[in-house]
Amino acid sequence: MKDGDMKLPAFLRIPMIASLFLLASATFFPAAAVDPQNITLNGMGWVQYGRVAHSTVDTMGKSKYTGNSVQSSGAQISLRAKVSEKFEGAVGVGVLENHYLAGNSSGGRVPLIETPYIAEARFTYSFRNEESSKLQLTGGLFAYDYNPDIKNLGLYLLRGPVHPGILISGFETKAVLPIANTLGFRLHHENRICQQDVILNSETDLYPFFDVSPAYIASYKPNAIFRIGAGINLYRFLSIEPKLTSPDYFSDHGLDQHPEGTHPYRRTYIYVDTATHDTTFISFKGIKLMANAFFDPKPLFGGTELLGAEDLKIYGEIALLGLENDKAHKDLYGDCLHRMPVMVGFNFPAFRLLDNLSLEVEWYGAKFRDDLWRYQTGRSLYPSPLPVSNGDVRNIDVESNQKRDNWKWSLYAAKTIRNHFKISAQVANDHFRPGGVVGSPSPEAILSTPEDWYWMMKIACFF
């Protein structure tokens, strides 16, 4: 293990599945111990349809997504039990029926597939649960959203990797819905004006899997007019296998041993300075910093009875993805300015006809492609923290201009009817990744120029 690497402590290496089983057992057995009046059942179902209005040629330069439609449906159900005044738990399951886009200009829909998932599997223990002050511990698989104003773009602190700093977004992804997106623990404290969260999150989406990322997030809201918040994420600092997270050896397939002058994107773990011949091993781990805020001017003036609760809000978020400032990291990922995504959102007046009518705009000057190819595993794919080049890793095109995808935007609208039905829609040029074939989804973002966009809509019912 290299100096500076942190290996996951033994007490945290207990398999998560065993922990969840014990927690669920403690929560729900014996069933007779729980008053039926303290058990609630919640569920939801939805259908979704959209279309890619325009997409530029993909990574391989062969397929197109323009004109392809996207369709899905799903349902989930959750059971929550209040065991005592301090202890409660919940379990839930769901299934999603959808298809990937194969990327054919003549229409690339592939057969529908069914994907089961865990909607939640968590416990919450309240050390203190008063109106003026709360202190709670949540563990297991649960939903967590530190910035509920965001509809699509943003949430940089807990979404996506550090190296390379790829952003994640899309229409109503799990990060903005009441669906489990965090596996680990959350210690939450709040009073009338402040909130604090300490998070231990196990990585389940991106290679190398199950590394634990400690994070701290705080916000200050003295009144209804504004809120400010900030956070730090020590991404993958507690490694399950340090040699996977922070390799200190040449890759066994020989890519790292190519002759001098080979473009660094063709390597896997190392950066070689062609002037000094110094070698730098690049790690998957890194540090993220984040700040966010919102401003709601409605309390400053009267006559707002016709406006909805979210109307006129201005909100935003900024982050820094990776603090390393040596030559290797600057050459691979750019300087700090080009590792700082910035988003701003505004809720247009909808006069209670809609819950939200939100426009979000984002700038991110990353110098590499907006895709996750290097996080895929397979017989011919080698996971790597180095960014994918401006072309495919087997067909380097380092001169292509990657500035055309610096700006992203998203227009979102939603309406809830009688507290049980919701209609939502989105038009956007964001980080949408719908491509691939059955069993092998493509990680590329298909919207890479200002002309690219798609639309999506959903009808959902819930109880």
Side-chain angles (χ1 to χ4, degrees):
M1 184 170 62
K2 297 190 303 180
D3 292 341
D5 273 341
M6 295 178 64
K7 193 169 183 179
L8 190 66
F11 72 91
L12 285 177
R13 289 198 227 176
I14 301 173
M16 284 293 181
I17 188 66
S19 300
L20 293 178
F21 175 79
L22 293 174
L23 293 171
S25 299
T27 304
F28 295 107
F29 291 98
V34 181
D35 188 332
Q37 294 184 351
N38 292 328
I39 298 177
T40 58
L41 184 66
N42 304 99
M44 68 176 71
W46 67 92
V47 292
Q48 180 175 312
Y49 181 82
R51 189 173 180 85
V52 180
H54 189 276
S55 171
T56 304
V57 176
D58 71 13
T59 306
M60 305 301 291
K62 298 178 181 179
S63 303
K64 295 183 178 181
Y65 296 96
T66 300
N68 279 212
S69 51
V70 183
Q71 178 179 311
S72 65
S73 59
Q76 72 176 49
I77 192 167
S78 294
L79 184 69
R80 294 179 174 85
K82 184 176 181 181
V83 180
S84 68
E85 289 299 319
K86 294 182 176 293
F87 195 77
E88 69 168 16
V91 293
V93 294
V95 62
L96 175 67
E97 183 180 66
N98 68 339
H99 61 80
Y100 299 118
L101 294 183
N104 299 320
S105 58
S106 59
R109 292 182 58 172
V110 297
L112 287 171
I113 58 174
E114 290 75 32
T115 306
Y117 65 89
I118 299 175
E120 59 181 330
R122 55 91 183 167
F123 76 94
T124 298
Y125 183 82
S126 298
F127 299 95
R128 184 168 60 250
N129 190 14
E130 302 171 358
E131 183 177 353
S132 61
S133 180
K134 295 182 180 181
L135 180 61
Q136 298 173 323
L137 175 66
T138 298
L141 190 60
F142 55 93
Y144 176 65
D145 182 358
Y146 64 82
N147 192 347
D149 294 311
I150 285 175
K151 311 303 184 298
N152 182 9
L153 305 171
L155 298 177
Y156 306 121
L157 190 70
L158 300 182
R159 281 202 294 188
V162 174
H163 298 139
I166 301 298
L167 306 185
I168 308 294
S169 69
F171 177 57
E172 294 194 341
T173 63
K174 66 179 182 179
V176 298
L177 293 176
I179 297 175
N181 55 39
T182 302
L183 176 61
F185 297 92
R186 173 197 182 194
L187 182 63
H188 172 74
H189 171 259
E190 68 174 272
N191 56 33
R192 295 186 186 276
I193 62 174
C194 295
Q195 291 192 23
Q196 302 179 82
D197 287 305
V198 176
I199 302 288
L200 288 177
N201 183 37
S202 177
E203 179 60 63
T204 58
D205 292 329
L206 299 172
Y207 177 95
F209 299 108
F210 311 129
D211 285 351
V212 175
S213 303
Y216 173 75
I217 304 161
S219 65
Y220 173 68
K221 185 182 179 183
N223 50 50
I225 298 175
F226 79 96
R227 183 203 71 230
I228 57 174
I232 181 172
N233 184 1
L234 305 180
Y235 186 63
R236 299 183 180 275
F237 267 56
L238 301 178
S239 304
I240 295 293
E241 293 291 342
K243 287 187 177 296
L244 296 181
T245 305
S246 303
D248 58 358
Y249 56 91
F250 290 104
S251 56
D252 55 10
H253 47 74
L255 290 184
D256 285 334
Q257 302 179 54
H258 277 193
E260 296 176 9
T262 297
H263 193 273
Y265 289 148
R266 293 193 71 108
R267 303 186 186 277
T268 303
Y269 304 139
I270 69 169
Y271 170 87
V272 178
D273 189 328
T274 55
T276 63
H277 307 297
D278 291 336
T279 296
T280 303
F281 287 92
I282 306 298
S283 172
F284 283 100
K285 75 177 183 179
I287 297 177
K288 293 185 183 184
L289 301 178
M290 176 278 303
N292 66 73
F294 88 72
F295 172 70
D296 185 357
K298 293 194 298 296
L300 297 177
F301 51 85
T304 61
E305 293 80 8
L306 295 178
L307 296 176
E310 301 299 313
D311 291 1
L312 299 183
K313 270 189 179 182
I314 302 172
Y315 56 94
E317 183 171 326
I318 185 172
L320 175 57
L321 309 181
L323 303 186
E324 298 86 353
N325 203 35
D326 55 82
K327 186 178 188 303
H329 287 83
K330 290 173 68 174
D331 282 355
L332 289 172
Y333 310 112
D335 57 20
C336 289
L337 176 65
H338 294 87
R339 285 184 254 165
M340 295 178 64
V342 182
M343 69 81 59
V344 176
F346 175 68
N347 293 339
F348 290 100
F351 303 102
R352 301 184 184 274
L353 298 175
L354 298 172
D355 302 335
N356 302 98
L357 181 58
S358 306
L359 175 65
E360 297 178 351
V361 179
E362 174 188 88
W363 181 87
Y364 183 45
K367 58 184 288 188
F368 41 83
R369 289 190 63 89
D370 184 17
D371 64 46
L372 290 164
W373 275 108
R374 283 293 183 92
Y375 278 86
Q376 305 304 298
T377 58
R379 295 175 65 89
S380 59
L381 297 172
Y382 305 102
S384 169
L386 276 65
V388 175
S389 70
N390 296 331
D392 160 62
V393 293
R394 295 176 296 276
N395 182 23
I396 302 301
D397 179 16
V398 298
E399 302 302 324
S400 292
N401 188 341
Q402 290 300 309
K403 295 182 180 180
R404 299 194 70 197
D405 69 348
N406 285 2
W407 288 96
K408 296 294 183 182
W409 57 270
S410 173
L411 181 64
Y412 174 87
K415 174 64 176 179
T416 301
I417 303 171
R418 294 185 178 273
N419 296 321
H420 291 290
F421 297 91
K422 182 180 179 181
I423 301 174
S424 55
Q426 181 172 288
V427 180
N429 179 341
D430 57 12
H431 308 282
F432 184 39
R433 294 179 172 84
V437 296
V438 175
S440 181
S442 171
E444 66 182 346
I446 68 171
L447 310 172
S448 58
T449 72
E451 295 81 16
D452 298 340
W453 63 284
Y454 71 94
W455 62 266
M456 204 83 69
M457 66 178 301
K458 177 189 290 184
I459 300 176
C461 65
F462 48 90
F463 60 89

